[in-house]
Amino acid sequence: MAPDISTTPRRSTTGLRKFLDPEQQRDWIEGEADLIDAEERLESLEQRFKYVARFQKLLRRPQAQDVLEILGVYGQTCIPIPRKTERHYWSVSCLPSTSDKPLVRVNASWMELFTLYADGEGLRARFLVHLSHFTTDHSPAQGDEAFLEHCVTTPEDVGYFFPRGEDIFGINVRGSASIRKFLAERRILRAIRTFNVTHMNRGRNAYQASHCYSLADTMLAG
C-alpha cells in the first residue's frame, strides 16, 4: 500500500537552503555565480534605534572609516544574498559588550564569523574558517604559514590559533592594509565563504537582537 503523502512528515528546510540549492551555494563559494538578492530590506525601526547611540560612539573612534570600508567589502563578498538573509541568518553588532571589547562582530547561527578590534589607533581582524580548508590532518601544515604570510602586506601582520570546536581555525590579521589584501586573496575568500555558508545553513541566527542596522547599511551599500 502506498504511503499517504499528505501525512508523511517532510524534513524541514533550514538556513540558506530556503533560498539557494546546494549547487548555487557551491557556485557562489567558488566565485562562479552572481546571486540575485532581494531589492528591499525587511527592517525593524525599533531595532535600528536601539543601537544608534553605539554606532555614533563608534564613528568617533579613529578607526571608524577603516571599519566601515572593510565591513563594506566583507558584506559584499563574504555573505551570500545579504539583504534577503539580514539579521535572521547573519547579523553585525556594534561595540558588543563582551570581555574582548571588539569594535564590530559578524555572527551566524551560534558562531562568530568575523571580528574587528582596535589595535592602538589601527585595526586588528579575527577570521574564523574551517581548519580542513588549510590542512588534511587537522594540524598546522608545513607551508600554510608561508601562504598566510603571502596574503598580507608584511609577514608580522598575520597569526593563527586553534579555537575550541571541531574543524575551526582562527586567523588574526593586523592593519587595515593587510586586512584588505587578505580579503582579496581568492583562496582565503573561498575559505571564508565556505565557513559562513556552513553556519548560515545551521538555521536562524541566535544574535538577531544585537543586529545594528546602521552598520549593516554599509555592508549592503553595494
Side-chain angles (χ1 to χ4, degrees), residues 12 106 130 150 175 180 202:
S12 61
V106 180
H130 289 302
H150 171 75
R180 287 183 175 90
R202 291 192 170 170

Side-chain angles (χ1 to χ4, degrees), residues 87-210:
R87 189 181 177 194
H88 298 293
Y89 294 93
W90 67 271
S91 62
V92 58
S93 52
C94 184
L95 300 173
S97 305
T98 54
S99 59
D100 54 339
K101 298 182 179 179
L103 297 175
V104 300
R105 174 167 287 144
V106 180
N107 290 90
S109 184
W110 291 91
M111 179 62 66
E112 168 193 340
L113 304 179
F114 173 61
T115 305
L116 287 172
Y117 299 92
D119 185 27
E121 292 200 352
L123 279 181
R124 175 171 55 89
R126 181 165 72 192
F127 299 86
L128 293 185
V129 294
H130 289 302
L131 180 59
S132 55
H133 200 100
F134 291 90
T135 69
T136 54
D137 60 356
H138 284 215
S139 64
Q142 196 69 28
D144 272 345
E145 188 170 348
F147 167 71
L148 291 175
E149 291 175 354
H150 171 75
C151 296
V152 293
T153 55
T154 59
E156 297 78 19
D157 286 346
V158 70
Y160 58 84
F161 62 100
F162 300 93
R164 282 187 184 180
E166 186 179 347
D167 196 19
I168 302 179
F169 185 47
I171 305 172
N172 291 317
V173 181
R174 187 179 61 192
S176 59
S178 283
I179 296 167
R180 287 183 175 90
K181 184 176 180 183
F182 193 77
L183 282 166
E185 168 60 44
R186 184 173 178 179
R187 180 180 167 194
I188 294 296
L189 186 57
R190 189 164 63 242
I192 293 170
R193 287 180 170 188
T194 300
F195 188 83
N196 291 1
V197 164
T198 294
H199 291 282
M200 289 176 74
N201 271 325
R202 291 192 170 170
R204 290 276 178 147
N205 173 34
Y207 297 91
Q208 295 179 39
S210 65

Side-chain angles (χ1 to χ4, degrees), residues 56-65 95 101-103 118:
Q56 293 297 328
K57 184 178 179 181
L58 175 68
L59 292 182
R60 294 192 290 271
R61 299 288 187 99
Q63 306 89 350
Q65 190 60 39
L95 300 173
K101 298 182 179 179
L103 297 175

Side-chain angles (χ1 to χ4, degrees), residues 5-32:
I5 295 176
S6 64
T7 59
T8 302
R10 293 184 178 183
R11 186 178 177 182
S12 61
T13 303
T14 59
L16 280 176
R17 301 176 192 89
K18 289 179 177 287
F19 315 104
L20 304 170
D21 63 37
E23 184 177 356
Q24 288 174 308
Q25 294 181 32
R26 285 192 299 269
D27 287 346
W28 177 79
I29 287 169
E30 296 296 329
E32 297 172 355

